[in-house]
Amino acid sequence: ACAHLGFAQPFGMGGWMPLPYVEMNAYGKATGRLSTPWEHETVRAMSEAYVAGLVEGRDLLSIPPVERG
């Protein structure tokens, strides 16, 4: 679902925010791909993790995910 819907939404000047429930609900109704609350929560959690990774990636001292133990 994220590939079609997008992983996050642009916000402000160069910022990102997780997908809003309104967008996910509209997408689910239009396509039938998100039909249960569990699917909405899962997509939202994935979007929040994606945005957190974008924010963390701006920190030059951040440890890359592949190097975390």
Side-chain angles (χ1 to χ4, degrees):
C2 278
H4 292 113
L5 186 57
F7 296 101
Q9 242 187 2
F11 179 75
M13 297 184 65
W16 292 92
M17 63 182 255
L19 294 171
Y21 285 105
V22 174
E23 287 289 324
M24 291 189 299
N25 192 33
Y27 175 79
K29 285 182 179 181
T31 64
R33 292 183 184 205
L34 297 175
S35 57
T36 66
W38 178 86
E39 291 172 325
H40 283 80
E41 290 297 324
T42 302
V43 170
R44 174 66 185 212
M46 290 170 28
S47 181
E48 289 173 355
Y50 180 80
V51 171
L54 288 176
V55 171
E56 190 176 330
R58 293 181 182 159
D59 182 5
L60 296 176
L61 299 176
S62 176
I63 299 171
V66 295
E67 294 181 6
R68 296 178 188 165

